[in-house]
Amino acid sequence: MKYICQCCGEEKEDWPAIAYNAPYFYYCLSEEELKNAELTQIYAP
C-alpha cells in the first residue's frame, strides 16, 4: 500500500500508523475552553 506521509511528505510503502492529531478529550472541549487550550508538540501536526 503506497501513501504520502503527512509528517514528512515522503511516499511510503508500509502500512500507516493509526494516529490522531489530538487526544479525544480535546475534541470534547467547548469553544470557550478551546480558547485557553494548547496542544503540545506531541500532538501538534
Side-chain angles (χ1 to χ4, degrees):
M1 172 179 179
K2 290 186 180 182
Y3 66 96
I4 303 297
C5 176
Q6 291 184 352
C7 293
C8 67
E10 294 181 10
E11 185 177 276
K12 305 284 186 169
E13 292 191 29
D14 55 354
W15 286 93
I18 297 175
Y20 302 93
N21 290 332
Y24 169 76
F25 295 106
Y26 180 80
Y27 296 108
C28 296
L29 297 174
S30 68
E31 287 187 34
E32 187 65 31
E33 291 169 321
L34 283 172
K35 291 178 183 176
N36 296 317
E38 180 180 346
L39 290 176
T40 64
Q41 193 172 21
I42 294 171
Y43 293 106

